[in-house]
Amino acid sequence: MQIGKYKLDTTQEKIVRDTSKYLLVTAGAGSGKTLTILGKIAYLVNVKNIMPSEILCISFTQAASTSLKNKLKKELNLDIPTYTFHKLSLEILKESKKSYEISDPDLLDLITEEFFEQDILTSTYLLKEICTYFKEGKQNFQKSYQKIKQNKYLQLNQLKHLCITFTRLMKCNDYNLSDFTKFLKRIKSLNYFRYRKEKIVLELILNIYIKYESYLKENQEIDFDDMLIKATNYLKQKEYSPTIKYIIIDEYQDTSYIRFQLIKELLIITDANLMVVGDDFQSIYKFTGCDVSLFTNFSKYFKEAKIEKLEKTYRNSETLIKIAGKFIMKNKNQMKKNLYSDKVLTEPIKIIKYANIQEQFLNIIDKLSEYPQNKILVLGRNNKDINKILNDKIKYKEEKIIIEKYQELDITYMTVHKAKGLESDNVIIINLENKVNGFPNQLKEEPLTRLVTKEEDRYLYSEERRLFYVALTRTKNYVYLLVPKKNPSIFIEELEQIIYDVKKEQNFSKLLSKINK
């Protein structure tokens, strides 16, 4: 099958023609998942005679949804309903004849800030509790709180962040006010001091949650999570039955519990077939409520499920994808894949040790400047990581790195989270240091958030490992890892061993090949 100028490979075509009721496609980095989705839709319309209006496509972000819609129009000349989960929820709610005002996405942050700046000052009990939490003051709690704000503002900001994260995870996993009693019961099993501390945090969160929900109610607004929950509840009433025969979900590894509930209800009322596509290796949004277990346990949720794998990458070289694959699959909770490529490159992963990061960065740029037509993507773990390489000769403006000597080069900087789904000719990764805000980021997950997550992956740095895999696989050619000579990232030490093992395997394979000849 041909889609535009691309011909589907054997596995892609097999997936396209698969008629399973529930189909999970695990698609390795650069394995042509979008091409497979396009092929599937072409097959459904042209061979199975399904109307374009009877196919529903869903993706994680508005940009991805728009991109897919445009490709369907350009390559297949088809106008297929393509949505994000939130846009789909709005469409469903329109059928209920009720109008909803969507709240500001930053509302929870603003309300949390207001609570810590103003509301807390009006409650002697809460002031006493927060002073106990920070082990500050026994008498004048107003004065003690001002002292906390001055001297412990970083810890206070971490507490605010925890309150926001907990509330968001709570909503996107469909918990509500009545669940706070259960939360308190569950933390009672902890030792006295930890219980006392986590009880205080829960009390603060409860007050923020009530304030937030009251604001939404008083202003007749709903947030994005409410939108999904209300749409799901409306579907349960069986008053709406759209004609949908096939549902296709892209980036399924980014699904949350309430997104999953919406799809489940839609499948019940439509009896549609379902194909989901994604890569559990690239599930990197746990902090927003995404639950990778909905992907890895797909067969548990859909008993008739079939699983197919797109394991051939058209982006990365064979050596790189073998190394990256061994690195990610150290976590046995990930789905096993035998990733491979026809592309051959010697040493596609280059570990560059530095004493001076700016000098080494310029050395790499100097080598890459021999091919000025090639794009360079610089990746960091955090937004501010770019500051490590800036000086008088290296400037940064609007995601673009401008180098005095090489102004013709196309160099872009972004965090790995933003780069997901993108690719570049060559990649440079920075901030590979062994420290709290290095790569991996070593900020410990707050145990309290486990109360509001459905599944738990306790493998050390599991999400950071997936994030590093995403960073490694953005390149078409080489990836340069800028590593400090002192205190390198624990991922680098691990990667060096894997590179050594893969080289040994490849040399042994070559030797066997010679013997057989």
Side-chain angles (χ1 to χ4, degrees):
M1 183 185 281
Q2 190 92 11
I3 302 293
K5 59 180 180 178
Y6 297 102
K7 189 178 188 303
L8 271 68
D9 66 28
T10 309
T11 310
Q12 290 167 344
E13 187 144 352
K14 182 186 173 190
I15 290 165
V16 162
R17 296 180 184 279
D18 194 299
T19 56
S20 302
K21 185 71 174 173
Y22 306 112
L23 176 63
L24 170 73
V25 179
T26 70
S31 62
K33 72 179 176 70
T34 305
L35 183 68
T36 307
I37 290 171
L38 293 176
K40 185 75 172 181
I41 292 167
Y43 177 76
L44 292 173
V45 173
N46 299 326
V47 179
K48 290 295 181 180
N49 298 316
I50 293 177
M51 298 290 290
S53 60
E54 295 173 326
I55 302 167
L56 173 65
C57 292
I58 307 169
S59 197
F60 186 58
T61 64
Q62 185 57 56
S65 174
T66 304
S67 172
L68 180 58
K69 193 171 182 67
N70 291 341
K71 282 174 183 171
L72 284 162
K73 191 71 183 168
K74 183 184 173 187
E75 303 295 346
L76 306 177
N77 197 26
L78 290 174
D79 191 11
I80 302 284
T82 310
Y83 298 97
T84 62
F85 279 95
H86 296 118
K87 194 177 172 189
L88 174 62
S89 298
L90 272 182
E91 286 295 311
I92 293 167
L93 289 173
K94 279 180 189 174
E95 296 293 323
S96 71
K97 303 295 188 286
K98 289 182 184 176
S99 59
Y100 295 94
E101 194 69 34
I102 311 302
S103 65
D104 185 324
D106 297 324
L107 180 63
L108 180 57
D109 300 62
L110 296 168
I111 278 178
T112 304
E113 193 61 38
E114 188 177 82
F115 173 79
F116 279 97
E117 286 298 315
Q118 298 172 25
D119 301 0
I120 208 165
L121 300 173
T122 65
S123 169
T124 306
Y125 174 75
L126 288 176
L127 270 176
K128 182 184 174 184
E129 291 288 84
I130 201 165
C131 289
T132 303
Y133 179 87
F134 284 106
K135 299 177 183 173
E136 192 72 56
K138 304 255 181 183
Q139 301 296 324
N140 190 329
F141 297 118
Q142 292 268 1
K143 194 177 272 186
S144 296
Y145 185 54
Q146 294 308 321
K147 201 172 169 185
I148 290 164
K149 285 167 71 175
Q150 277 185 332
N151 302 333
K152 297 183 177 177
Y153 64 91
L154 283 176
Q155 295 96 313
L156 185 61
N157 279 342
Q158 282 173 358
L159 178 60
K160 289 176 189 176
H161 180 70
L162 172 56
C163 291
I164 291 166
T165 302
F166 188 98
T167 307
R168 286 204 171 119
L169 287 173
M170 189 183 146
K171 291 205 71 171
C172 70
N173 283 300
D174 205 13
Y175 293 103
N176 54 46
L177 192 59
S178 63
D179 291 298
F180 275 94
T181 311
K182 295 175 200 168
F183 299 154
L184 279 167
K185 279 181 183 173
R186 283 176 64 186
I187 64 167
K188 270 190 178 176
S189 60
L190 305 171
N191 66 57
Y192 173 77
F193 294 104
R194 194 174 146 204
Y195 166 69
R196 184 83 183 93
K197 200 168 184 181
E198 298 205 348
K199 179 177 172 286
I200 291 168
V201 179
L202 267 181
E203 286 172 339
L204 296 171
I205 293 168
L206 175 60
N207 279 272
I208 291 165
Y209 176 81
I210 290 169
K211 181 179 169 71
Y212 177 65
E213 290 297 314
S214 299
Y215 179 93
L216 291 172
K217 192 174 181 180
E218 286 164 17
N219 291 276
Q220 296 181 313
E221 292 180 1
I222 59 171
D223 62 19
F224 287 141
D225 293 325
D226 292 325
M227 204 189 299
L228 287 158
I229 293 163
K230 284 183 184 296
T232 304
N233 289 337
Y234 179 65
L235 291 177
K236 283 178 180 176
Q237 294 168 21
K238 308 288 189 294
E239 292 178 12
Y240 170 57
S241 186
T243 308
I244 298 170
K245 292 185 179 175
Y246 224 101
I247 299 173
I248 297 172
I249 306 175
D250 191 14
E251 302 288 359
Y252 188 70
Q253 77 279 349
D254 295 325
T255 302
S256 67
Y257 178 72
I258 54 175
R259 289 187 185 109
F260 172 75
Q261 290 298 320
L262 178 72
I263 294 305
K264 208 167 84 172
E265 286 304 319
L266 207 50
L267 289 170
I268 289 168
I269 65 169
T270 62
D271 193 35
N273 281 33
L274 174 69
M275 180 175 94
V276 301
V277 187
D279 184 7
D280 59 301
F281 288 5
Q282 299 184 66
S283 177
I284 57 173
Y285 292 107
K286 185 181 176 185
F287 61 94
T288 68
C290 297
D291 184 352
V292 70
S293 72
L294 293 168
F295 188 100
T296 54
N297 295 332
F298 188 77
S299 299
K300 179 176 137 186
Y301 300 109
F302 300 100
K303 301 299 180 189
E304 307 164 45
K306 187 173 178 185
I307 297 171
E308 292 286 357
K309 297 176 182 180
L310 287 172
E311 296 173 309
K312 181 178 182 178
T313 177
Y314 294 89
R315 179 193 301 152
N316 310 128
S317 65
E318 172 74 3
T319 302
L320 187 142
I321 206 65
K322 285 287 180 199
I323 293 166
K326 283 178 181 287
F327 174 82
I328 193 72
M329 282 188 280
K330 282 208 167 187
N331 180 355
K332 303 303 178 192
N333 295 317
Q334 304 289 168
M335 296 176 81
K336 194 172 180 182
K337 302 183 192 72
N338 181 31
L339 302 166
Y340 68 98
S341 171
D342 292 338
K343 199 171 185 176
V344 178
L345 274 180
T346 308
E347 294 186 24
I349 299 176
K350 299 188 180 293
I351 297 172
I352 313 292
K353 303 280 177 79
Y354 66 81
N356 183 314
I357 189 170
Q358 292 151 339
E359 281 181 14
Q360 280 291 19
F361 179 76
L362 284 173
N363 287 341
I364 294 168
I365 296 297
D366 193 50
K367 287 176 189 170
L368 295 176
S369 67
E370 293 175 28
Y371 307 94
Q373 73 280 9
N374 286 355
K375 292 183 179 181
I376 304 166
L377 179 61
V378 181
L379 297 175
R381 173 63 185 81
N382 315 295
N383 284 317
K384 291 182 180 177
D385 291 349
I386 183 64
N387 296 333
K388 294 175 185 294
I389 60 168
L390 301 181
N391 60 19
D392 293 343
K393 296 174 184 175
I394 309 166
K395 308 289 183 188
Y396 178 61
K397 189 179 180 182
E398 295 172 354
E399 289 193 347
K400 292 291 177 188
I401 298 172
I402 302 145
I403 303 168
E404 196 177 86
K405 193 178 171 185
Y406 307 105
Q407 294 197 27
E408 74 284 2
L409 293 180
D410 186 343
I411 308 173
T412 303
Y413 173 78
M414 58 181 69
T415 64
V416 185
H417 279 103
K418 283 186 183 174
K420 182 174 170 288
L422 303 179
E423 62 181 23
S424 186
D425 294 298
N426 294 291
V427 169
I428 302 170
I429 306 174
I430 60 175
N431 193 18
L432 293 166
E433 297 181 52
N434 185 22
K435 59 180 186 178
V436 172
N437 63 347
F439 202 170
N441 183 293
Q442 295 170 21
L443 277 173
K444 288 182 181 174
E445 182 184 28
E446 289 287 346
L448 201 64
T449 59
R450 291 175 190 163
L451 294 172
V452 284
T453 50
K454 299 289 182 185
E455 292 277 342
E456 200 177 329
D457 181 0
R458 295 203 175 185
Y459 191 84
L460 186 64
Y461 303 128
S462 58
E463 182 119 338
E464 291 293 307
R465 184 173 290 270
R466 292 192 288 266
L467 195 62
F468 191 56
Y469 173 84
V470 169
L472 289 174
T473 55
R474 295 310 91 199
T475 186
K476 293 181 190 174
N477 299 302
Y478 297 96
V479 57
Y480 295 82
L481 309 179
L482 270 171
V483 182
K485 286 180 180 175
K486 292 180 181 177
N487 209 28
S489 161
I490 55 171
F491 281 174
I492 295 302
E493 293 173 8
E494 199 177 312
L495 204 66
E496 286 176 321
Q497 183 59 50
I498 294 171
I499 290 169
Y500 175 77
D501 291 343
V502 168
K503 272 186 182 175
K504 260 175 61 176
E505 285 173 18
Q506 288 176 335
N507 289 337
F508 183 67
S509 182
K510 283 176 188 172
L511 184 64
L512 274 180
S513 181
K514 281 182 182 178
I515 291 168
N516 290 333
K517 280 181 183 176

